[in-house]
Amino acid sequence: MAAAQNSSIPPSNGEYGGDEIAALVLDPGYSSTRAGFAGEDVPKSVVPSFYGYTDSSEGSSDRKLLFGDNAVHTPLPNLGIANPISKDGTVEDWDVATKLWEYAITSRLTHTKPTNPASNGLNDPQDGDIEAEMEGLEENEKSLEEHPLLMSEPAWNSSKAREKAIQIAMEDWGVPAFWSAKTGVLAAFAGGKASALVIDVGASNVSVTPVHDGLILRKGIMRSPLAGNFISQQLRLLFASSQPPVPLTPHYLIASKTAVDAGVQSNATYRTFSSPPQASFRRLEEERVLTEFKESVVQVWPGPGRLSSGQQGTTNEEVVKTWPGRPFEMPDGWNQMFGSERYKVAEGLFDAKMAFADAENPAPQASQTVTALVQASLNAIDVDIRPLMLSNILVTGGTSFLNGFTDRLNSELTQAYPGPRVRISAPGNLAERRFASWIGGSILGSLGTFHQDAANNKDPFGSDDSYLIRETIYLRYKFRSSTRSLTQSILDYPIENGRRYHKYREGSYMYPNDELENERLDLQHEFLRIVCGGKLHFAPTNAPKKILDIGTGTGIWPIDMGEDAHTFPDAEIIGTDLSATQPDWVPDNVHFVIDDATEEDWLYPPDSFDYIHSRLLLGCFDDFREVIRKSFKYLKPGGWMESQEPMSMPSCDDGTMPATWAFKEWSRVGDEAAMYHGKPLRIANKLKRWYEQAGFVDVHEAVFKIPMNPWPKDPHYKNIGKISELNWLQGVQAMCLAWFHRVHGWTKDEIEVYLVDVRKAVQDRNVHAYHKL
């Protein structure tokens, strides 16, 4: 069970539920890194993610690193510029990223650690006494170890990268508590929205992230490189293709200049350097000029229509040529009035065919445009929540501040979705738009639940080893728990046709999770144990240390495994499910985590488990082969996986099952609904082949017969049939209600009438039907 502190109990002085110790919020990005204290409006520390190095070899171990605005923009001899963050927003160089983040935090927030008094000059002989104000000095010298840390990450960040960040924060920095949060969720929090379609237009890429009830819908995450750097490259291509070419000379090269007329060659005196900075430094400085140009000149055609389209035989591009231009002066004094071209450089964000291109910079694809990303994101999520997303579009990122961007986005989406209401929210304050994810983290980090629930340096599961991996599990579980307190609780289960269903990943699991169903699942567990001769598993596991139960349901299988202390005295048993319906009182070695096995990156590193178990998961996954493939990845070499699945259609060996038998027809209709919904029921007879295709060896298959009711004469099977009959009578409604209603469109009354004959068929002793397990 994941450890959780009772929120009704006030934290002690040594914990972080009070206001004395503020949490730190760190929001790394490709262009800049933001850091500050939770509860503040904007980050106090905003430093470039670019850094300088002063030797000739970027990979040299002894190179000097320079951080901060002044350092990276000063033309030092042989100064080069690099970035530890890749263009997709993930960390590329962990050593430098760690130092960059330390600088962002200590330079403006916590200060550096005190140096050794024997060597820092404080004890050097002085000519006279020096008076110093000491009151409050110790309080101001706060070290990094005193502050809980909330750190943002992109929605597509890998689990390995997340674990590395946790390791740095908790082992290298010694922070007392750590949280990781997705930038899209934090931006939605900053905008005051529990559900939103977050469009983040940054420097290196544009991303579209659907957030529903505080949780990211992973299938709907879309991104492309058509962002700020793309506009900069469009400007470079425009300047190079102009006649004469537009000069792009950065400020640091200009010693003096003389004013000239528009379009006339510049008249400037240039600086020379005996040991000039590297080419990467010049490109960074050119980027500063391009940023000034984008902020003051570039505009997005607001619509309606595209720049290349128009009415009455003329294009919108011809129309803007008649509009007044905007002037811009380069650092060397060259100046010009820019007309329609100021619209063309940004048109590629929405119309790929209008983008400038050359041999080294090919034109973007239509699927990479902002409108196409939004459409792809909406198509990937449930149709029922698309109107909610369209009415809660949140635009963030510095590049989104291009003049006319939100107007054009609204025009494009209104045209693409004429039915639903399209509402775009874009903060008018540049800081709120640039720092949206940091502001969301500031809000989250200022709540008392953050301090009380954050994973800390002590293993919440009571073990002294492997705390990092365990904290990743705990951290993710508790973050979701806190998200419930901020938005709608994932325990606020939806009710449909009188039955209760799961909230997390709503709609992906088609069976109820209410008490009636939970009682049936426990009954089903008991009779399956009888079917299997009292065994909980058949895999020949040898003293497993870590066991995973996928789709644990009520958690009864892990609990029974955990109570079998003689068989697995040292095993840690983890059950995952979409619903938190497991009991609170469980064996000490059993834990439950709310998680979805369809996620590509599980909560654990590869090679984590000795044994993975799954049972009765037919109809739960789009492709069960993916679950097997991922299980193979997360099993240790020599580990075992076991699946227990029934055939969805009944069998009969003596011809007593009519072709029109009501239960057989019910099974067929349910099978069609499942196939139509993309979650097939017929997986049992394919498991052996799928296991072998995934790379498993020594694959065993055993088949058990489960009578439909107590028709057999054999006392053992008659007893199994009695429990099976009760299971079917209690479960036929739960097993088909969502399928028939959502897929076939039947009402609850129609389903209940239909089930009358099905229940009669279940009790018909003249039909000797059974299911294969």
Side-chain angles (χ1 to χ4, degrees):
M1 178 175 64
Q5 181 184 32
N6 190 333
S7 60
S8 64
I9 302 175
S12 65
N13 294 333
E15 295 170 341
Y16 306 97
D19 297 328
E20 291 82 2
I21 299 177
L24 287 170
V25 180
L26 180 63
D27 182 28
Y30 175 79
S31 178
S32 65
T33 296
R34 288 77 63 179
F37 289 110
E40 297 185 344
D41 295 333
V42 293
K44 283 185 176 179
S45 178
V46 180
V47 300
S49 293
F50 292 91
Y51 68 95
Y53 57 94
T54 55
D55 69 317
S56 58
S57 175
E58 184 177 339
S60 174
S61 60
D62 59 348
R63 61 178 174 154
K64 182 180 179 181
L65 305 183
L66 303 172
F67 302 104
D69 273 305
N70 293 335
V72 300
H73 295 305
T74 301
L76 299 176
N78 202 35
L79 177 66
I81 299 296
N83 196 325
I85 310 296
S86 66
K87 290 185 178 181
D88 66 356
T90 59
V91 177
E92 207 167 42
D93 187 333
W94 281 100
D95 292 336
V96 176
T98 303
K99 296 175 181 178
L100 170 66
W101 299 340
E102 288 177 354
Y103 174 84
I105 294 172
T106 60
S107 63
R108 294 291 304 276
L109 303 175
T110 63
H111 310 294
T112 56
K113 297 179 181 179
T115 56
N116 189 336
S119 59
N120 63 9
L122 294 178
N123 294 322
D124 291 348
Q126 301 291 339
D127 294 335
D129 292 337
I130 299 177
E131 295 185 1
E133 180 61 51
M134 300 301 294
E135 183 177 355
L137 183 61
E138 182 179 352
E139 182 178 329
N140 290 331
E141 287 292 340
K142 294 179 179 179
S143 63
L144 197 61
E145 292 89 338
E146 294 179 335
H147 299 277
L149 176 65
L150 185 151
M151 187 173 177
S152 70
E153 64 174 9
W156 49 90
N157 201 34
S158 67
S159 59
K160 288 186 177 179
R162 187 179 309 115
E163 290 168 11
K164 180 65 176 178
I166 296 172
Q167 180 183 11
I168 291 170
M170 305 200 77
E171 291 188 354
D172 298 350
W173 297 348
V175 298
F178 178 91
W179 262 18
S180 178
K182 305 295 186 185
T183 53
V185 174
L186 295 179
F189 289 168
K193 296 179 181 293
S195 299
L197 190 69
V198 180
I199 303 176
D200 183 13
V201 191
S204 59
N205 63 72
V206 54
S207 64
V208 179
T209 307
V211 179
H212 187 244
D213 285 346
L215 297 170
I216 286 179
L217 306 180
R218 293 175 62 91
K219 291 184 178 180
I221 299 172
M222 302 293 165
R223 54 193 171 97
S224 87
L226 305 192
N229 292 348
F230 168 77
I231 301 296
S232 295
Q233 190 59 40
Q234 291 289 289
L235 287 173
R236 291 178 185 272
L237 294 174
L238 170 66
F239 292 167
S241 61
S242 299
Q243 294 299 328
V246 177
L248 183 56
T249 307
H251 291 276
Y252 80 96
L253 289 175
I254 309 301
S256 64
K257 63 181 178 180
T258 302
V260 296
D261 293 334
V264 177
Q265 185 178 358
S266 61
N267 183 14
T269 303
Y270 299 95
R271 290 177 178 169
T272 58
F273 300 89
S274 58
S275 180
Q278 300 180 33
S280 57
F281 177 83
R282 170 161 183 161
R283 188 168 183 88
L284 179 66
E285 295 307 297
E286 289 176 350
E287 192 64 35
R288 298 184 77 185
V289 179
L290 295 175
T291 299
E292 294 174 9
F293 190 93
K294 287 185 285 187
E295 292 174 350
S296 58
V297 177
V298 173
Q299 288 184 264
V300 180
W301 167 252
R306 298 185 172 181
L307 193 62
S308 58
S309 63
Q311 297 178 350
Q312 300 177 350
T314 183
T315 64
N316 292 323
E317 185 177 358
E318 295 296 326
V319 173
V320 298
K321 287 181 179 179
T322 64
W323 294 357
R326 287 193 173 187
F328 186 80
E329 181 178 312
M330 289 291 181
D332 61 1
W334 184 94
N335 65 94
Q336 182 62 279
M337 189 73 70
F338 291 87
S340 62
E341 57 267 29
R342 73 181 188 271
Y343 289 95
K344 293 184 66 175
V345 293
E347 186 64 13
L349 295 176
F350 296 94
D351 186 359
K353 294 182 294 184
M354 289 291 289
F356 295 99
D358 63 10
E360 296 181 357
N361 300 277
Q365 300 177 5
S367 60
Q368 295 177 317
T369 62
V370 178
T371 309
L373 291 181
V374 173
Q375 291 174 321
S377 177
L378 292 175
N379 290 338
I381 63 178
D382 195 288
V383 65
D384 293 335
I385 63 175
R386 292 175 191 172
L388 177 65
M389 295 291 105
L390 283 169
S391 62
N392 288 277
I393 296 175
L394 182 65
V395 177
T396 66
T399 303
S400 69
F401 234 75
L402 285 174
N403 195 330
F405 178 87
T406 52
D407 293 334
R408 175 62 175 277
L409 180 63
N410 183 72
S411 175
E412 292 270 335
L413 296 181
T414 301
Q415 183 178 359
Y417 300 96
R421 180 182 181 183
V422 176
R423 171 177 282 183
I424 297 177
S425 175
N429 185 301
L430 177 59
E432 292 182 7
R433 206 178 297 190
R434 284 184 62 199
F435 308 141
S437 56
W438 185 93
I439 293 172
S442 177
I443 296 171
L444 178 62
S446 63
L447 298 176
T449 51
F450 167 79
H451 300 274
Q452 294 174 25
D453 291 345
N456 53 47
N457 215 338
K458 181 180 178 182
D459 182 0
F461 298 110
S463 174
D464 293 328
D465 57 352
S466 303
Y467 79 91
L468 176 60
I469 298 172
R470 292 170 179 263
E471 280 176 351
T472 306
I473 303 168
Y474 177 73
L475 181 154
R476 184 166 176 177
Y477 180 86
K478 296 312 298 175
F479 177 71
R480 288 173 178 166
S481 298
S482 176
T483 302
R484 296 200 295 267
S485 69
L486 294 172
T487 62
Q488 296 181 20
S489 168
I490 65 170
L491 299 178
D492 184 17
Y493 300 120
I495 304 298
E496 180 182 290
N497 290 322
R499 300 303 296 265
R500 192 187 73 185
Y501 293 85
H502 67 101
K503 183 66 173 177
Y504 177 59
R505 298 284 198 267
E506 185 174 351
S508 60
Y509 180 72
M510 302 292 281
Y511 308 107
N513 70 352
D514 50 27
E515 292 305 317
L516 183 63
E517 176 67 0
N518 291 338
E519 291 177 2
R520 188 191 69 81
L521 291 178
D522 287 347
L523 172 68
Q524 184 174 257
H525 167 81
E526 295 302 332
F527 98 78
L528 285 178
R529 191 165 184 176
I530 297 173
V531 170
C532 297
K535 294 183 178 181
L536 288 170
H537 68 94
F538 290 92
T541 55
N542 183 21
K545 298 294 184 182
K546 202 165 189 177
I547 299 172
L548 176 66
D549 182 35
I550 301 174
T552 194
T554 65
I556 191 169
W557 186 88
I559 291 171
D560 279 1
M561 289 283 285
E563 289 176 344
D564 192 358
H566 297 291
T567 305
F568 306 113
D570 301 319
E572 176 192 5
I573 306 168
I574 301 168
T576 63
D577 203 88
L578 299 179
S579 297
T581 55
Q582 303 79 33
D584 292 332
W585 297 100
V586 298
D588 292 338
N589 61 332
V590 176
H591 319 302
F592 296 114
V593 180
I594 300 174
D595 195 37
D596 187 352
T598 62
E599 293 187 3
E600 184 61 34
D601 293 319
W602 287 3
L603 298 173
Y604 325 94
D607 303 338
S608 289
F609 296 98
D610 300 286
Y611 174 52
I612 295 179
H613 172 266
S614 70
R615 185 175 67 184
L616 300 182
L617 296 183
L618 67 167
C620 295
F621 297 99
D622 297 345
D623 189 348
F624 194 71
R625 289 173 294 183
E626 286 297 299
V627 178
I628 297 174
R629 179 184 64 82
K630 294 170 188 173
S631 297
F632 186 87
K633 172 182 176 182
Y634 290 97
L635 274 172
K636 295 177 182 178
W640 288 84
M641 181 182 181
E642 180 174 340
S643 297
Q644 298 177 5
E645 298 294 337
M647 293 291 293
S648 60
M649 298 297 292
S651 298
C652 180
D653 297 335
D654 59 6
T656 58
M657 182 173 65
T660 58
W661 190 44
F663 185 87
K664 183 178 181 180
E665 177 64 15
W666 173 84
S667 301
R668 184 192 64 79
V669 175
D671 190 69
E672 289 179 355
M675 290 296 293
Y676 182 85
H677 193 64
K679 296 182 182 295
L681 301 175
R682 300 187 186 187
I683 65 174
N685 59 331
K686 305 171 186 176
L687 289 175
K688 186 175 188 294
R689 182 174 78 252
W690 288 349
Y691 269 65
E692 293 170 342
Q693 291 173 347
F696 285 94
V697 296
D698 196 16
V699 180
H700 300 267
E701 183 180 53
V703 179
F704 297 86
K705 294 183 178 181
I706 305 177
M708 177 71 62
N709 57 49
W711 62 261
K713 296 180 180 179
D714 182 276
H716 173 69
Y717 284 104
K718 183 177 288 292
N719 183 45
I720 293 175
K722 289 180 180 179
I723 308 176
S724 175
E725 180 183 51
L726 180 60
N727 180 60
W728 282 115
L729 292 175
Q730 290 184 1
V732 286
Q733 190 211 50
M735 295 177 192
C736 75
L737 192 58
W739 292 114
F740 290 6
H741 175 69
R742 299 177 192 176
V743 178
H744 293 314
W746 295 5
T747 66
K748 182 183 179 182
D749 290 342
E750 290 172 334
I751 296 171
E752 288 294 354
V753 171
Y754 180 80
L755 290 178
V756 171
D757 289 337
V758 176
R759 291 190 175 98
K760 289 181 180 178
V762 169
Q763 301 174 79
D764 189 348
R765 273 49 167 183
N766 295 319
V767 177
H768 299 167
Y770 64 91
H771 282 87
K772 294 179 181 179
L773 177 69

